[in-house]
Amino acid sequence: MEKNIESHLKETRVFKPARAFAKNARVGSLEDYRRMYRESIRQPEKFWAREARELRWQKPWKKVLEWKAPFAKWFVGGKLNVAENCLDRHLQGPRRNKAAIIWEGEPGDKRILTYQQLHREVCRFANVLKRNKIRKGDRVIIYLPAIPEAAIAMLACARIGAVHSVVFGGFSADSIRDRIADCGATAVITADGGFRRGAVVPLKHNVDEALQGGTTIRRVIVFRRAGNEIHIEEGRDVWWHRELEYVDAHCPAVPLDSEHPLYILYTSGSTGKPKGILHTTGGYLVGIYSSTKYVFDLREDDIYWCTADIGWVTGHSYVVYGPLAAGATTVMYEGAPNWPEPDRFWRIIEEYAVSILYTAPTAIRAFIRWGDQWLKKHDLSSLRLLGTVGEPINPEAWMWYHEKIGGGRCPIVDTWWQTETGAIMITPLPGAIPTKPGSATLPFFGVDPVIVDQRGREVGPNVGGKLIVRRPWPAMLRNIYGDKGRYQKQYWSEFKGNYLTGDGARRDRDGYFWIVGRIDDVLNVAGHRLGTSEIESALVSHPKVAEAAAVGRPDELKGQGVVVFVTLKSGVNPTPSLKKELRGHVGTHIGAIAKPDEVRFAEALPKTRSGKIMRRLLKEIAAGRTVTGDTTTLEDFSVLAKLGSAEE
Ligand code: PRX
């Protein structure tokens, strides 16, 4: 039997919620969290029914959960509409005139839509969809920049029961074509172009290319955003603004079965063809509504900003559906964080008095690398809560975020979840759970995660293993679109009836979860199984290092040797003596076993467009092979070329 994953990183700092924060929080003490968590596990149906009753149902459910593993139905028999819950529900009271979306385009243009205005735009566009013969159950590809129309298109689909599949605006024609083919979409909603680092991304052109040679697509609706010249295919393509001339703003929300599909979102996975993760209506809405409320401790006057793109699950759950279901003001920004200069985020926070910021560790490390001078010019005192998502945050980046962005006063919620889970699964509640830098802390309500060894037995404190979830939760995926077999095999077969996350983790003596990375990335060095994130964290704690990626390469003696790719902070010279110093640094932080066999300096690391390091590619480079396999999610191809010739 393989050994368990070893964990060596010691992090002992603990940050208790400030008394002033806890006093006003929705959940204000560890005892309250534990009491609510206990109830959510012992009487999940009671707990979730209470949460669900805060939403609007057109027909009440008969049963909260029907679980025939691995297929779950939540709020069985209930009927509701997600768009109605995100919009109409807020129109009776003072929220009617509250900002729903505050948006800024990359060139600096600005728009604010109140709930009333957003409702109107969604109704009108839903009528455009109907006019173009898009019906309940039809699949619609949304390929738009991060502009309010992306949210409007998603909500308009939800309003009539069409199933959207958002394709990230950075993806190519091939990715669009694959997704259309997989879900049999009949319409595409796109724009002429979008802005990215000052350039125009030719979205419509990519769509034209994707549709060449024939697909299931009958209609393309084009929003005019960038003003670039495009081709209009008569009989297939229509302009968004022209279509609006034919419709009114009256569009009742269709009552949909609680298990009606809401969206399909493709995740690349490290190998194989993209998986269409299917989310449905009632359970998903309850899951994201409840988690948005508790994890971000939302108050009526918060200005909430999640920096994720609409093309990722974070954009679905925590830019659009979660905050709007909770009646919040959600900020959207179209472009890059360093455009025109690396202080764009801090400018936005200052200008709109953002109080909650939710971003990714990869962004935080980029800010550190760009230097503190960019924040000094801006007033960040409106912030009261910070969040991270997407990968393990190394403790040094956590501390920087806490001190420099949060001014030492803002709690940080490090939220662990996945496209498949739909909603946040392991996270601090900011007024209740003391945080430790680098740990996602404790499970959210109703979530029952556990760490097991190869045979499925729970491991003891601080022993690494596989992270699984023992029971269904409302926002969980329902299927891989059109492929029940793959759904069952991928997620539910290794430990029958339990959900396999694919992540490795350990739990400390306080029950805190520490995610050590994807199981596929775990290194096996001389019989020791090491998580990549720990080696990377150790490296990033060195003052000269900006970012690091650790991978294994075949080694006759040890099974695997450790190769690390390191990017340095601005102005630091890559010298041979620094390589030696870094090896020693990992040795002192983790132990001799984790000392890298080779340190390679790189200008940048290959990342997916959502910011995750593509270790698979680095592994091939480390082993001296040329890179093969799928690179369609790679953000910047020039990075690969440069790495291939990385100086030794
Ligand atoms: O490995 C975990 C990592 O990201 C994976 C899920 O990626 P994706 O489906 O793209 O969703 C990202 C946004 C939810 C997980 O399996 N991950 C995500 N959040 C964290 C994390 N790893 C450690 N800590 C986190 N907070």
Side-chain angles (χ1 to χ4, degrees):
M1 197 193 94
E2 269 193 272
K3 286 181 69 169
N4 290 320
I5 303 165
E6 295 175 22
S7 195
H8 300 264
L9 197 72
K10 301 284 173 286
E11 174 57 59
T12 51
R13 289 170 284 200
V14 179
F15 294 82
K16 290 212 172 103
R19 197 164 295 169
F21 191 102
K23 209 173 77 195
N24 297 314
R26 283 175 186 269
V27 185
S29 71
L30 196 54
E31 295 69 49
D32 283 353
Y33 158 74
R34 291 206 192 282
R35 183 179 45 74
M36 289 173 75
Y37 180 72
R38 243 189 334 266
E39 189 208 3
S40 75
I41 293 296
R42 287 185 187 156
Q43 296 169 285
E45 307 209 354
K46 184 172 164 207
F47 182 91
W48 289 117
R50 197 169 57 231
E51 290 296 313
R53 273 195 293 271
E54 293 181 15
L55 296 166
R56 193 187 280 178
W57 294 77
Q58 287 151 322
K59 186 175 159 216
W61 60 88
K62 290 204 178 71
K63 203 169 166 212
V64 173
L65 170 66
E66 192 183 290
W67 177 228
K68 292 187 187 133
F71 299 101
K73 287 185 179 164
W74 283 88
F75 306 104
V76 185
K79 283 191 191 292
L80 75 166
N81 186 288
V82 167
E84 182 182 26
N85 275 285
C86 290
L87 301 168
D88 312 49
R89 198 169 74 82
H90 306 307
L91 297 186
Q92 268 97 49
R95 274 186 194 154
R96 181 184 191 91
N97 296 318
K98 172 177 177 173
I101 295 178
I102 294 180
W103 173 81
E104 203 172 285
E106 195 185 73
D109 40 346
K110 295 165 190 185
R111 278 164 69 195
I112 295 177
L113 289 163
T114 63
Y115 272 95
Q116 152 75 31
Q117 289 170 318
L118 183 61
H119 174 262
R120 186 179 149 79
E121 293 310 314
V122 168
C123 288
R124 292 171 77 209
F125 192 64
N127 282 336
V128 168
L129 295 178
K130 287 196 266 188
R131 212 181 101 75
N132 284 280
K133 308 216 165 35
I134 295 160
R135 306 266 180 258
K136 178 174 157 183
D138 289 351
R139 274 81 62 215
V140 176
I141 299 284
I142 297 178
Y143 184 64
L144 283 169
I147 53 177
E149 281 66 26
I152 292 168
M154 291 161 77
L155 289 159
C157 286
R159 198 164 186 89
I160 64 168
V163 184
H164 62 70
S165 185
V166 180
V167 178
F168 172 54
F171 280 158
S172 63
D174 286 347
S175 313
I176 307 170
R177 189 183 303 119
D178 291 349
R179 285 155 175 73
I180 291 171
D182 189 79
C183 71
T186 52
V188 178
I189 303 169
T190 188
D192 49 1
F195 295 102
R196 188 74 185 175
R197 293 202 174 89
V200 172
V201 184
L203 297 172
K204 173 62 168 61
H205 175 79
N206 294 346
V207 170
D208 290 342
E209 217 179 294
L211 301 188
Q212 257 174 27
T215 63
T216 42
I217 297 296
R218 289 186 273 106
R219 183 65 85 227
V220 179
I221 305 176
V222 189
F223 182 76
R224 182 140 69 203
R225 163 71 187 132
N228 50 318
E229 222 163 274
I230 60 161
H231 163 74
I232 290 280
E233 179 91 17
E234 285 304 325
R236 186 194 70 190
D237 303 350
V238 293
W239 283 105
W240 178 308
H241 61 274
R242 291 260 171 80
E243 287 298 296
L244 285 182
E245 291 170 14
Y246 300 101
V247 297
D248 62 18
H250 176 72
C251 179
V254 176
L256 297 169
D257 188 89
S258 179
E259 285 300 331
H260 184 75
L262 177 65
Y263 67 81
I264 302 163
L265 186 60
Y266 287 86
T267 71
S268 54
S270 50
T271 49
K273 79 172 177 110
K275 297 175 279 191
I277 303 301
L278 178 73
H279 284 291
T280 60
T281 300
Y284 176 78
L285 185 68
V286 172
I288 52 152
Y289 166 74
S290 173
S291 54
T292 304
K293 194 176 69 171
Y294 290 120
V295 175
F296 300 109
D297 187 47
L298 266 191
R299 287 198 219 144
E300 203 55 66
D301 59 354
D302 272 318
I303 307 286
Y304 163 94
W305 183 22
C306 167
T307 67
D309 190 272
I310 300 287
W312 312 118
V313 72
T314 312
H316 285 59
S317 297
Y318 298 110
V319 176
V320 178
Y321 290 125
L324 295 179
T329 296
T330 180
V331 175
M332 273 173 84
Y333 166 58
E334 179 186 28
N338 54 351
W339 186 265
E341 289 196 294
D343 66 343
R344 188 65 184 265
F345 274 23
W346 322 127
R347 258 176 210 285
I348 292 175
I349 290 171
E350 181 171 11
E351 173 157 356
Y352 302 103
V354 170
S355 56
I356 301 173
L357 175 68
Y358 188 31
T359 193
T362 180
I364 296 169
R365 288 190 300 265
F367 297 136
I368 298 174
R369 182 173 185 178
W370 293 335
D372 294 356
Q373 70 274 21
W374 297 107
L375 4 148
K376 294 212 176 99
K377 296 189 263 176
H378 298 286
D379 177 5
L380 304 180
S381 62
S382 57
L383 288 171
R384 68 178 195 93
L385 175 64
L386 304 174
T388 74
V389 58
E391 37 169 348
I393 181 165
N394 42 292
E396 290 320 303
W398 196 101
M399 288 306 299
W400 183 90
Y401 198 31
H402 178 69
E403 282 163 13
K404 299 287 169 51
I405 305 303
R409 72 183 179 278
C410 304
I412 296 180
V413 289
D414 172 355
T415 62
W416 176 88
W417 59 295
Q418 307 175 302
T419 306
E420 292 87 340
T421 69
I424 293 168
M425 300 288 275
I426 303 178
T427 178
L429 296 186
I433 299 178
T435 51
K436 303 182 187 184
S439 169
T441 74
L442 299 172
F444 185 67
F445 302 131
V447 177
D448 186 14
V450 62
I451 298 166
V452 297
D453 64 17
Q454 303 295 329
R455 285 204 246 156
R457 289 174 309 201
E458 186 166 359
V459 298
N462 288 322
V463 177
K466 295 184 176 183
L467 178 65
I468 64 173
V469 184
R470 281 192 289 210
R471 62 171 77 210
W473 62 98
M476 67 188 267
L477 78 165
R478 299 299 197 267
N479 200 1
I480 292 177
Y481 188 77
D483 199 345
K484 276 192 179 161
R486 192 171 176 204
Y487 167 75
Q488 263 169 307
K489 185 157 176 284
Q490 176 108 31
Y491 301 112
W492 302 94
S493 65
E494 188 167 336
F495 305 106
K496 213 163 184 332
N498 296 287
Y499 172 77
L500 183 73
T501 67
D503 281 356
R506 73 181 161 94
R507 218 171 171 178
D508 70 16
R509 291 194 186 283
D510 298 327
Y512 277 43
F513 285 86
W514 299 76
I515 310 294
V516 301
R518 304 292 299 166
I519 285 283
D520 303 344
D521 294 332
V522 167
L523 308 177
N524 195 331
V525 182
H528 300 270
R529 285 167 47 85
L530 304 168
T532 49
S533 75
E534 297 197 325
I535 300 174
E536 290 158 8
S537 277
L539 283 162
V540 177
S541 73
H542 189 283
K544 291 181 178 162
V545 173
E547 198 154 40
V551 297
R553 86 166 159 217
D555 184 296
E556 276 182 20
L557 231 54
K558 298 189 286 185
Q560 268 185 322
V562 181
V563 179
V564 298
F565 292 81
V566 171
T567 62
L568 298 171
K569 287 197 182 143
S570 306
V572 178
N573 278 329
T575 59
S577 70
L578 182 56
K579 285 189 180 179
K580 216 168 138 209
E581 195 178 319
L582 293 179
R583 292 189 68 230
H585 188 76
V586 176
T588 8
H589 271 70
I590 302 184
I593 183 69
K595 259 192 181 178
D597 295 276
E598 189 185 338
V599 177
R600 286 196 185 197
F601 293 122
E603 271 175 53
L605 300 176
K607 290 190 189 161
T608 65
R609 288 159 195 265
S610 60
K612 287 192 214 301
I613 294 168
M614 294 183 86
R615 290 194 185 71
R616 180 173 56 81
L617 303 188
L618 291 174
K619 247 187 247 175
E620 296 188 11
I621 292 168
R625 291 194 295 266
T626 40
V627 172
T628 54
D630 182 22
T631 52
T632 49
T633 57
L634 183 66
E635 201 203 13
D636 179 0
F637 281 92
S638 65
V639 170
L640 259 196
K642 284 182 198 148
L643 282 170
S645 59
E647 47 92 39
E648 288 298 305

